[in-house]
Amino acid sequence: MREIVTYVHMTDQEQFRPAAPVPGLALAALDRRSPLVVEVQARMGAPYGWGSAVRTAPEWDLWFARHPDRAFWLLSHEGEPAGLLACDLHPDDEVEIDTFGLVPEFVGRGLGGYALTLAVRQAWDLTPTVRRVWLHTSSADHPAALPNYHRRGFSTFKVEEGERA
């Protein structure tokens, strides 16, 4: 299957265009040992064929070991787990949003714009010296993902096309 991977970034907080708040939607730090890290990522990725949807327990252990500094936040709506944010701090004060999304039962309910707003604010606040926030999305992801990133102020800096692994 052909896949297009689009890389987007913001190089200044002034580029950020927040969405209107959604009552009841919140973002809170999540301990990496919480079972919600695995559960929510697997649920988020299942409709899109993400590797997180089919990882075994030993594969999760290896994944966590490869990313010892990854930070996690839980998106919740009215107290229910609704999605997840995971960020990596890279050299030169760059923050990669490695994982972001909603679980299927919260998709299509008008939460995505504000969920991304919360995620982007958190990414810019990861350290006081962040110079760039970036992520990538795939044509296999939800079709509203890339337009949402662009509406929030991200711009495309690279596009790759190839066969999906």
Side-chain angles (χ1 to χ4, degrees):
M1 171 179 161
R2 297 296 287 171
E3 177 181 38
I4 299 169
V5 177
T6 303
Y7 294 79
V8 297
H9 68 166
M10 284 183 204
T11 55
D12 190 300
Q13 285 192 62
E14 296 298 316
Q15 297 166 334
F16 178 43
R17 295 188 303 268
V22 173
L25 189 62
L27 183 70
L30 185 61
D31 187 295
R32 65 186 291 113
R33 294 167 298 192
S34 169
L36 287 172
V37 171
V38 171
E39 176 191 326
V40 173
Q41 280 190 85
R43 288 173 50 210
M44 283 172 24
Y48 312 108
W50 293 2
S52 61
V54 294
R55 278 188 195 119
T56 63
E59 289 170 331
W60 275 109
D61 290 342
L62 288 171
W63 184 84
F64 278 110
R66 282 193 310 268
H67 308 288
D69 297 323
R70 183 162 291 160
F72 299 91
W73 293 266
L74 181 69
L75 281 159
S76 62
H77 185 254
E78 298 178 352
E80 294 295 318
L84 189 88
L85 167 67
C87 291
D88 291 325
L89 182 61
H90 292 287
D92 298 324
D93 294 322
E94 292 191 358
V95 174
E96 177 185 3
I97 296 176
D98 177 78
T99 305
F100 168 76
L102 297 171
V103 295
E105 58 269 31
F106 287 94
V107 172
R109 294 176 50 184
L111 305 177
Y114 189 57
L116 182 57
T117 293
L118 295 172
V120 172
R121 282 185 180 139
Q122 183 61 59
W124 278 110
D125 289 345
L126 198 55
T127 69
T129 56
V130 174
R131 296 181 327 108
R132 178 177 179 242
V133 173
W134 65 278
L135 59 90
H136 71 274
T137 189
S138 161
S139 56
D141 290 342
H142 192 281
L146 185 57
N148 189 20
Y149 298 135
H150 287 152
R151 279 192 302 277
R152 300 290 72 80
F154 283 95
S155 61
T156 298
F157 71 92
K158 181 169 71 169
V159 176
E160 297 175 334
E161 188 171 344
E163 291 298 316
R164 185 161 190 194

